Amino acid sequence: MLWFVYFYCRMKKVFPLIILLITISVLGIIFIQMSWIHNSVQLRKQQREQDLAHAITQINQSLHDIYLFKVGHIGFQNEESRQYYLQGFSVEYLSRAEITQKIDTALKRYNIREPFEYTITNIFQSQIVKSEGFDPEKHTGPSIDILLTLNNTEADFYEMLHLYLKEESNFIIRKIGWYIAGSILFTIIIISAFYLTIRTMFNQKKLSEIKSDFINNMTHELKTPLATISLAIDALTNEKVIHDTDKIRYYSQMIKDENKRMNKQVEKILQSARIEKQDIKLNLQNLNAHEIINKVADNVNLQILDKNGKLTLQTEADNFLIEADEVHFSNVVFNLLDNAIKYSKEDLAIEIITKNDGNMFVLQVKDNGIGMNKETQSRVFEKFYRAHTGNLHNVKGFGLGLSYVKAIVEAHGGKVKVDSVLGKGSTFSAYFPIVAQPVA
């Protein structure tokens, strides 16, 4: 027990720290991913600009080479003589096909594969040459301007190549789209894993709290009969009692009763374990549900009267012959009544109502107890779960009764539900399949 409490306290302190560290890690990974994407976009832009610059240089040089070849100055020996002969450069010496081919070659060499159009203008902005698909009305956007004549301030003319690339919007993003998509996908996976981890940790935390309550309740439930048995045994060894037959009989019966009580508690835990393993064996037979309900109600009525309460029965079901296991059905009725008693207030009033709903026999146990909020209603059939009882501190049990009811009812092919208003009471409804013919 001590090790569990120590572990629970340690987890209570470590749990927020784990969440904080995981949150920081996820945020850090997301920040790094976003930074990587931003840097990749910037690098692609720079690479694109460099490729365009190299392509422009090659276009200019290849067009100059064609000119020098055609005017017969291919045999220049150095850059100075090359520059000299290029003073008279003009695209009039070049055909449109040659210009187009050189531009296409230069662009592809630097992995620029977008469709393009171009036009070459002179100093008066008049077109000298244009590509076959060039349309002045369509190509009005920004162009890549390449000065074809040498940059000579004394020249009274120049020719300018205006190159139009059909770049799509978000061109750079499209180029690295797979990388961005992959980054976003894995980021989503990480966030999902983070969410599942946190949710699992919260569930484990709740489970740890429930198990802690269960152990505390179990310790209390077993400690009381053990203490009674211990006192009874001490009394039996007393000299005044050992020769008194009536007192020996009295204390022996007390030990026997407390031993039965402990056995019932242990059996309840073992029964819950069998249900969890889905090892429920039902001895199905045709039962008179009203007869069994009346029998259980008579036994429980003593507890209700002891609390100055009142139990009323409204057996309104016309067909009350069900196919069920007698022991388990009796336990279902008992657990529903026991639950109503546990969570009662002053002036306890419990109603047992039976009715038919289609081919189902409906058993309802209605009380005027403390009631439940929506959260408690959604979890009341969970194993080990126990509703918060506010100022009530006398509610005993393991939190197994209603989970047992749900498992047994469903094993019979039925269902169980609860309707409750906080502070006004609850109504539990258990549905069991009926046999075709009613009891005569």
Side-chain angles (χ1 to χ4, degrees), residues 64-158:
H64 288 169
D65 289 343
I66 296 176
Y67 166 77
L68 291 173
F69 179 79
K70 288 196 172 184
V71 298
H73 296 302
I74 193 65
F76 57 85
Q77 298 298 318
N78 51 45
E79 185 61 26
E80 184 178 351
S81 60
R82 174 186 171 84
Q83 295 295 319
Y84 174 78
Y85 290 122
L86 287 174
Q87 294 293 329
F89 174 83
S90 175
V91 295
E92 294 179 355
Y93 290 90
L94 284 64
S95 67
R96 185 170 67 183
E98 290 173 327
I99 296 172
T100 302
Q101 189 270 330
K102 291 299 181 183
I103 294 174
D104 183 65
T105 301
L107 292 176
K108 287 182 177 178
R109 178 179 179 183
Y110 293 97
N111 202 30
I112 302 172
R113 302 186 179 276
E114 290 76 28
F116 65 90
E117 301 294 342
Y118 67 89
T119 181
I120 300 176
T121 59
N122 58 21
I123 194 172
F124 303 107
Q125 298 298 312
S126 299
Q127 290 183 0
I128 305 173
V129 182
K130 67 176 182 178
S131 60
E132 186 175 354
F134 179 79
D135 185 348
E137 294 182 359
K138 293 181 180 179
H139 299 89
T140 56
S143 62
I144 301 170
D145 298 330
I146 306 171
L147 182 63
L148 298 179
T149 55
L150 297 183
N151 189 12
N152 188 343
T153 56
E154 297 179 359
D156 56 358
F157 71 95
Y158 71 82

Side-chain angles (χ1 to χ4, degrees), residues 195-205:
Y195 167 76
L196 291 174
T197 301
I198 295 300
R199 192 179 72 171
T200 302
M201 291 179 68
F202 272 112
N203 290 338
Q204 290 296 326
K205 183 173 180 290

